mmCIF file of all heavy atoms in Angstrom:
data_model
loop_
_atom_site.group_PDB
_atom_site.id
_atom_site.type_symbol
_atom_site.label_atom_id
_atom_site.label_comp_id
_atom_site.label_asym_id
_atom_site.label_seq_id
_atom_site.Cartn_x
_atom_site.Cartn_y
_atom_site.Cartn_z
ATOM 1 N N PHE J 64 -3.207 -0.410 -7.063
ATOM 2 C CA PHE J 64 -2.715 -1.066 -5.821
ATOM 3 C C PHE J 64 -1.575 -1.952 -6.122
ATOM 4 O O PHE J 64 -1.578 -2.684 -7.107
ATOM 5 C CB PHE J 64 -3.907 -1.935 -5.245
ATOM 6 C CG PHE J 64 -3.458 -2.666 -4.027
ATOM 7 C CD1 PHE J 64 -3.392 -1.995 -2.793
ATOM 8 C CD2 PHE J 64 -3.109 -3.978 -4.120
ATOM 9 C CE1 PHE J 64 -2.997 -2.742 -1.660
ATOM 10 C CE2 PHE J 64 -2.733 -4.696 -2.996
ATOM 11 C CZ PHE J 64 -2.644 -4.081 -1.737
ATOM 12 N N LEU J 65 -0.488 -1.815 -5.349
ATOM 13 C CA LEU J 65 0.641 -2.609 -5.551
ATOM 14 C C LEU J 65 0.536 -3.955 -4.849
ATOM 15 O O LEU J 65 0.386 -3.961 -3.571
ATOM 16 C CB LEU J 65 1.907 -1.819 -5.065
ATOM 17 C CG LEU J 65 3.228 -2.115 -5.712
ATOM 18 C CD1 LEU J 65 3.769 -3.534 -5.418
ATOM 19 C CD2 LEU J 65 3.135 -1.947 -7.252
ATOM 20 N N GLY J 67 2.104 -7.585 -3.682
ATOM 21 C CA GLY J 67 3.270 -8.434 -3.598
ATOM 22 C C GLY J 67 2.874 -9.846 -3.744
ATOM 23 O O GLY J 67 2.284 -10.248 -4.713
ATOM 24 N N ASN J 68 3.003 -10.605 -2.656
ATOM 25 C CA ASN J 68 2.581 -12.053 -2.714
ATOM 26 C C ASN J 68 1.182 -12.244 -2.137
ATOM 27 O O ASN J 68 0.736 -13.319 -1.950
ATOM 28 C CB ASN J 68 3.586 -12.936 -1.977
ATOM 29 C CG ASN J 68 3.356 -14.360 -2.372
ATOM 30 O OD1 ASN J 68 3.066 -14.787 -3.551
ATOM 31 N ND2 ASN J 68 3.520 -15.292 -1.425
ATOM 32 N N GLY J 69 0.536 -11.074 -1.798
ATOM 33 C CA GLY J 69 -0.868 -11.247 -1.284
ATOM 34 C C GLY J 69 -1.011 -12.018 0.031
ATOM 35 O O GLY J 69 -2.065 -12.503 0.305
ATOM 36 N N SER J 70 0.044 -12.006 0.826
ATOM 37 C CA SER J 70 0.022 -12.859 2.062
ATOM 38 C C SER J 70 -0.435 -12.127 3.269
ATOM 39 O O SER J 70 -0.516 -12.704 4.350
ATOM 40 C CB SER J 70 1.371 -13.512 2.315
ATOM 41 O OG SER J 70 2.356 -12.605 2.495
ATOM 42 N N ASN J 71 -0.736 -10.832 3.084
ATOM 43 C CA ASN J 71 -1.176 -10.081 4.227
ATOM 44 C C ASN J 71 -2.481 -9.307 3.928
ATOM 45 O O ASN J 71 -2.763 -8.308 4.510
ATOM 46 C CB ASN J 71 -0.120 -9.140 4.660
ATOM 47 C CG ASN J 71 -0.203 -8.728 6.186
ATOM 48 O OD1 ASN J 71 -0.651 -9.545 6.938
ATOM 49 N ND2 ASN J 71 0.147 -7.480 6.439
ATOM 50 N N LEU J 72 -3.229 -9.873 3.011
ATOM 51 C CA LEU J 72 -4.422 -9.090 2.459
ATOM 52 C C LEU J 72 -5.734 -9.840 2.624
ATOM 53 O O LEU J 72 -5.801 -11.078 2.490
ATOM 54 C CB LEU J 72 -4.267 -8.875 0.955
ATOM 55 C CG LEU J 72 -2.986 -8.119 0.503
ATOM 56 C CD1 LEU J 72 -3.054 -8.031 -1.063
ATOM 57 C CD2 LEU J 72 -3.004 -6.743 1.020
ATOM 58 N N MET J 86 3.814 -7.369 -8.521
ATOM 59 C CA MET J 86 5.317 -7.460 -8.620
ATOM 60 C C MET J 86 5.658 -8.898 -8.362
ATOM 61 O O MET J 86 5.631 -9.342 -7.232
ATOM 62 C CB MET J 86 5.990 -6.557 -7.583
ATOM 63 C CG MET J 86 7.360 -6.085 -8.017
ATOM 64 S SD MET J 86 8.040 -4.937 -6.824
ATOM 65 C CE MET J 86 7.471 -3.362 -7.454
ATOM 66 N N ALA J 104 12.225 -6.108 -5.392
ATOM 67 C CA ALA J 104 11.217 -6.109 -4.395
ATOM 68 C C ALA J 104 10.255 -7.318 -4.620
ATOM 69 O O ALA J 104 9.587 -7.699 -3.594
ATOM 70 C CB ALA J 104 10.352 -4.834 -4.451
ATOM 71 N N ILE J 129 8.522 -16.631 6.283
ATOM 72 C CA ILE J 129 7.467 -15.637 6.134
ATOM 73 C C ILE J 129 7.050 -15.592 4.616
ATOM 74 O O ILE J 129 7.903 -15.403 3.746
ATOM 75 C CB ILE J 129 7.918 -14.257 6.513
ATOM 76 C CG1 ILE J 129 8.389 -14.282 8.022
ATOM 77 C CG2 ILE J 129 6.804 -13.218 6.338
ATOM 78 C CD1 ILE J 129 8.894 -12.942 8.580
ATOM 79 N N PRO J 130 5.781 -15.882 4.270
ATOM 80 C CA PRO J 130 5.475 -16.196 2.919
ATOM 81 C C PRO J 130 5.187 -14.892 2.056
ATOM 82 O O PRO J 130 4.177 -14.887 1.313
ATOM 83 C CB PRO J 130 4.175 -17.009 3.052
ATOM 84 C CG PRO J 130 3.577 -16.552 4.277
ATOM 85 C CD PRO J 130 4.639 -16.121 5.226
ATOM 86 N N GLY J 131 5.999 -13.927 2.212
ATOM 87 C CA GLY J 131 5.777 -12.680 1.431
ATOM 88 C C GLY J 131 6.988 -12.305 0.564
ATOM 89 O O GLY J 131 8.010 -12.955 0.603
ATOM 90 N N SER J 132 6.778 -11.231 -0.228
ATOM 91 C CA SER J 132 7.859 -10.670 -1.009
ATOM 92 C C SER J 132 8.666 -9.768 -0.092
ATOM 93 O O SER J 132 8.152 -9.320 0.951
ATOM 94 C CB SER J 132 7.319 -9.901 -2.174
ATOM 95 O OG SER J 132 6.617 -8.730 -1.722
ATOM 96 N N GLY J 135 6.873 -6.364 0.100
ATOM 97 C CA GLY J 135 5.785 -6.352 1.089
ATOM 98 C C GLY J 135 6.343 -6.437 2.499
ATOM 99 O O GLY J 135 5.800 -5.844 3.479
ATOM 100 N N GLY J 136 7.456 -7.161 2.675
ATOM 101 C CA GLY J 136 8.068 -7.307 3.952
ATOM 102 C C GLY J 136 8.571 -5.996 4.507
ATOM 103 O O GLY J 136 8.441 -5.701 5.670
ATOM 104 N N VAL J 138 7.381 -2.997 3.656
ATOM 105 C CA VAL J 138 6.185 -2.167 4.064
ATOM 106 C C VAL J 138 5.794 -2.491 5.486
ATOM 107 O O VAL J 138 5.476 -1.585 6.294
ATOM 108 C CB VAL J 138 4.998 -2.542 3.129
ATOM 109 C CG1 VAL J 138 3.746 -1.807 3.557
ATOM 110 C CG2 VAL J 138 5.341 -2.161 1.690
ATOM 111 N N MET J 139 5.752 -3.750 5.874
ATOM 112 C CA MET J 139 5.285 -4.190 7.216
ATOM 113 C C MET J 139 6.410 -4.283 8.177
ATOM 114 O O MET J 139 6.113 -4.698 9.338
ATOM 115 C CB MET J 139 4.613 -5.588 7.040
ATOM 116 C CG MET J 139 3.577 -5.786 5.952
ATOM 117 S SD MET J 139 2.134 -4.773 6.283
ATOM 118 C CE MET J 139 1.525 -5.472 7.751
ATOM 119 N N ALA J 141 8.359 -6.760 8.306
ATOM 120 C CA ALA J 141 7.996 -8.103 8.695
ATOM 121 C C ALA J 141 9.044 -8.696 9.695
ATOM 122 O O ALA J 141 10.236 -8.372 9.629
ATOM 123 C CB ALA J 141 7.965 -9.017 7.480
ATOM 124 N N GLY J 142 8.501 -9.485 10.599
ATOM 125 C CA GLY J 142 9.423 -10.071 11.562
ATOM 126 C C GLY J 142 8.872 -11.350 12.171
ATOM 127 O O GLY J 142 7.696 -11.667 12.051
ATOM 128 N N ALA J 143 9.708 -12.065 12.834
ATOM 129 C CA ALA J 143 9.317 -13.317 13.545
ATOM 130 C C ALA J 143 10.461 -13.745 14.400
ATOM 131 O O ALA J 143 11.641 -13.525 14.127
ATOM 132 C CB ALA J 143 9.046 -14.368 12.423
ATOM 133 N N ARG J 177 5.622 -3.582 12.744
ATOM 134 C CA ARG J 177 4.803 -3.730 11.580
ATOM 135 C C ARG J 177 4.482 -2.351 10.935
ATOM 136 O O ARG J 177 3.323 -2.041 10.549
ATOM 137 C CB ARG J 177 3.439 -4.433 11.871
ATOM 138 C CG ARG J 177 3.638 -5.793 12.465
ATOM 139 C CD ARG J 177 4.199 -6.790 11.503
ATOM 140 N NE ARG J 177 4.473 -8.031 12.183
ATOM 141 C CZ ARG J 177 5.688 -8.347 12.708
ATOM 142 N NH1 ARG J 177 6.695 -7.535 12.597
ATOM 143 N NH2 ARG J 177 5.836 -9.512 13.286
ATOM 144 N N LEU J 181 6.201 3.522 4.429
ATOM 145 C CA LEU J 181 5.261 3.190 3.378
ATOM 146 C C LEU J 181 3.849 3.200 3.845
ATOM 147 O O LEU J 181 2.867 3.124 3.079
ATOM 148 C CB LEU J 181 5.648 1.888 2.705
ATOM 149 C CG LEU J 181 6.800 2.007 1.772
ATOM 150 C CD1 LEU J 181 8.092 1.400 2.328
ATOM 151 C CD2 LEU J 181 6.504 1.432 0.457
ATOM 152 N N LEU J 186 4.653 5.059 -1.592
ATOM 153 C CA LEU J 186 5.840 4.750 -2.347
ATOM 154 C C LEU J 186 5.743 3.353 -2.851
ATOM 155 O O LEU J 186 5.079 2.480 -2.295
ATOM 156 C CB LEU J 186 7.101 4.798 -1.437
ATOM 157 C CG LEU J 186 7.345 6.191 -0.831
ATOM 158 C CD1 LEU J 186 8.291 6.103 0.360
ATOM 159 C CD2 LEU J 186 7.911 7.133 -1.883
ATOM 160 N N ILE J 187 6.503 2.996 -3.918
ATOM 161 C CA ILE J 187 6.549 1.655 -4.434
ATOM 162 C C ILE J 187 7.999 1.126 -4.339
ATOM 163 O O ILE J 187 8.837 1.686 -5.040
ATOM 164 C CB ILE J 187 6.039 1.566 -5.907
ATOM 165 C CG1 ILE J 187 4.632 2.101 -6.028
ATOM 166 C CG2 ILE J 187 6.207 0.128 -6.449
ATOM 167 C CD1 ILE J 187 4.073 2.114 -7.448
ATOM 168 N N VAL J 188 8.175 0.152 -3.527
ATOM 169 C CA VAL J 188 9.486 -0.395 -3.330
ATOM 170 C C VAL J 188 9.942 -1.205 -4.569
ATOM 171 O O VAL J 188 9.198 -2.027 -5.076
ATOM 172 C CB VAL J 188 9.589 -1.312 -2.112
ATOM 173 C CG1 VAL J 188 10.968 -1.924 -1.902
ATOM 174 C CG2 VAL J 188 9.115 -0.647 -0.859
ATOM 175 N N ARG J 214 7.011 -23.280 13.283
ATOM 176 C CA ARG J 214 5.884 -22.787 12.575
ATOM 177 C C ARG J 214 4.840 -23.888 12.292
ATOM 178 O O ARG J 214 3.631 -23.693 12.527
ATOM 179 C CB ARG J 214 6.289 -22.202 11.165
ATOM 180 C CG ARG J 214 6.568 -20.768 11.186
ATOM 181 C CD ARG J 214 6.865 -20.225 9.801
ATOM 182 N NE ARG J 214 7.557 -18.947 10.014
ATOM 183 C CZ ARG J 214 6.890 -17.805 10.098
ATOM 184 N NH1 ARG J 214 5.600 -17.688 9.981
ATOM 185 N NH2 ARG J 214 7.580 -16.688 10.276
ATOM 186 N N LEU J 220 -0.888 -24.017 9.194
ATOM 187 C CA LEU J 220 -0.451 -23.803 7.848
ATOM 188 C C LEU J 220 -1.234 -24.700 6.820
ATOM 189 O O LEU J 220 -1.121 -24.494 5.597
ATOM 190 C CB LEU J 220 1.064 -24.086 7.695
ATOM 191 C CG LEU J 220 1.994 -23.287 8.660
ATOM 192 C CD1 LEU J 220 3.453 -23.575 8.366
ATOM 193 C CD2 LEU J 220 1.710 -21.764 8.385
ATOM 194 N N SER J 224 -4.729 -18.607 5.020
ATOM 195 C CA SER J 224 -4.914 -17.499 6.017
ATOM 196 C C SER J 224 -4.093 -16.368 5.561
ATOM 197 O O SER J 224 -3.450 -16.456 4.528
ATOM 198 C CB SER J 224 -4.486 -17.922 7.422
ATOM 199 O OG SER J 224 -3.021 -17.850 7.507
ATOM 200 N N ALA J 225 -4.012 -15.294 6.348
ATOM 201 C CA ALA J 225 -3.130 -14.201 6.050
ATOM 202 C C ALA J 225 -2.166 -14.037 7.197
ATOM 203 O O ALA J 225 -1.750 -12.985 7.583
ATOM 204 C CB ALA J 225 -3.893 -12.894 5.751
ATOM 205 N N GLY J 226 -1.899 -15.084 7.913
ATOM 206 C CA GLY J 226 -0.943 -15.071 9.053
ATOM 207 C C GLY J 226 -1.690 -14.465 10.273
ATOM 208 O O GLY J 226 -2.875 -14.646 10.398
ATOM 209 N N ILE J 299 -4.332 -6.426 6.016
ATOM 210 C CA ILE J 299 -4.805 -5.209 5.359
ATOM 211 C C ILE J 299 -6.127 -5.552 4.616
ATOM 212 O O ILE J 299 -6.165 -6.440 3.809
ATOM 213 C CB ILE J 299 -3.740 -4.732 4.380
ATOM 214 C CG1 ILE J 299 -2.480 -4.361 5.206
ATOM 215 C CG2 ILE J 299 -4.212 -3.528 3.507
ATOM 216 C CD1 ILE J 299 -1.242 -4.144 4.331
HETATM 217 C C1 FAD S 1 0.985 -18.421 7.049
HETATM 218 C C2 FAD S 1 1.420 -17.028 7.142
HETATM 219 C C3 FAD S 1 2.421 -16.708 8.125
HETATM 220 C C4 FAD S 1 2.902 -15.394 8.235
HETATM 221 N N1 FAD S 1 3.874 -15.190 9.133
HETATM 222 C C5 FAD S 1 4.363 -13.888 9.312
HETATM 223 C C6 FAD S 1 5.370 -13.614 10.226
HETATM 224 O O1 FAD S 1 5.836 -14.496 10.902
HETATM 225 N N2 FAD S 1 5.820 -12.330 10.348
HETATM 226 C C7 FAD S 1 5.311 -11.282 9.568
HETATM 227 O O2 FAD S 1 5.721 -10.194 9.743
HETATM 228 N N3 FAD S 1 4.303 -11.593 8.700
HETATM 229 C C8 FAD S 1 3.776 -12.818 8.531
HETATM 230 N N4 FAD S 1 2.819 -13.071 7.617
HETATM 231 C C9 FAD S 1 2.240 -11.920 6.849
HETATM 232 C C10 FAD S 1 2.902 -11.645 5.519
HETATM 233 O O3 FAD S 1 3.552 -12.753 4.994
HETATM 234 C C11 FAD S 1 3.862 -10.408 5.626
HETATM 235 O O4 FAD S 1 3.258 -9.279 6.114
HETATM 236 C C12 FAD S 1 4.558 -10.116 4.262
HETATM 237 O O5 FAD S 1 5.613 -9.212 4.530
HETATM 238 C C13 FAD S 1 3.584 -9.515 3.283
HETATM 239 O O6 FAD S 1 4.301 -9.513 2.006
HETATM 240 P P1 FAD S 1 3.447 -9.626 0.618
HETATM 241 O O7 FAD S 1 4.483 -9.580 -0.461
HETATM 242 O O8 FAD S 1 2.628 -10.865 0.652
HETATM 243 O O9 FAD S 1 2.598 -8.345 0.666
HETATM 244 P P2 FAD S 1 1.083 -8.150 0.185
HETATM 245 O O10 FAD S 1 0.221 -8.972 1.083
HETATM 246 O O11 FAD S 1 0.974 -8.427 -1.228
HETATM 247 O O12 FAD S 1 0.923 -6.624 0.455
HETATM 248 C C14 FAD S 1 0.938 -6.174 1.814
HETATM 249 C C15 FAD S 1 1.017 -4.601 1.719
HETATM 250 O O13 FAD S 1 2.326 -4.287 1.179
HETATM 251 C C16 FAD S 1 2.202 -3.507 0.005
HETATM 252 N N5 FAD S 1 3.279 -3.849 -0.945
HETATM 253 C C17 FAD S 1 3.609 -5.135 -1.327
HETATM 254 N N6 FAD S 1 4.738 -4.976 -2.119
HETATM 255 C C18 FAD S 1 4.975 -3.721 -2.189
HETATM 256 C C19 FAD S 1 6.005 -2.957 -2.905
HETATM 257 N N7 FAD S 1 6.914 -3.581 -3.635
HETATM 258 N N8 FAD S 1 5.991 -1.646 -2.749
HETATM 259 C C20 FAD S 1 5.090 -0.980 -2.016
HETATM 260 N N9 FAD S 1 4.084 -1.628 -1.361
HETATM 261 C C21 FAD S 1 4.075 -2.998 -1.495
HETATM 262 C C22 FAD S 1 0.791 -3.821 -0.527
HETATM 263 O O14 FAD S 1 0.287 -2.755 -1.310
HETATM 264 C C23 FAD S 1 0.048 -3.946 0.830
HETATM 265 O O15 FAD S 1 -0.304 -2.691 1.339
HETATM 266 C C24 FAD S 1 2.320 -14.408 7.408
HETATM 267 C C25 FAD S 1 1.369 -14.682 6.439
HETATM 268 C C26 FAD S 1 0.862 -15.957 6.325
HETATM 269 C C27 FAD S 1 -0.119 -16.281 5.235
#
Side-chain angles (χ1 to χ4, degrees):
F64 176 79
L65 208 292
N68 196 37
S70 63
N71 205 31
L72 300 179
M86 207 176 271
I129 302 178
S132 66
V138 174
M139 306 298 292
R177 301 294 174 266
L181 283 108
L186 299 164
I187 301 177
V188 179
R214 266 184 199 273
L220 303 182
S224 78
I299 297 168

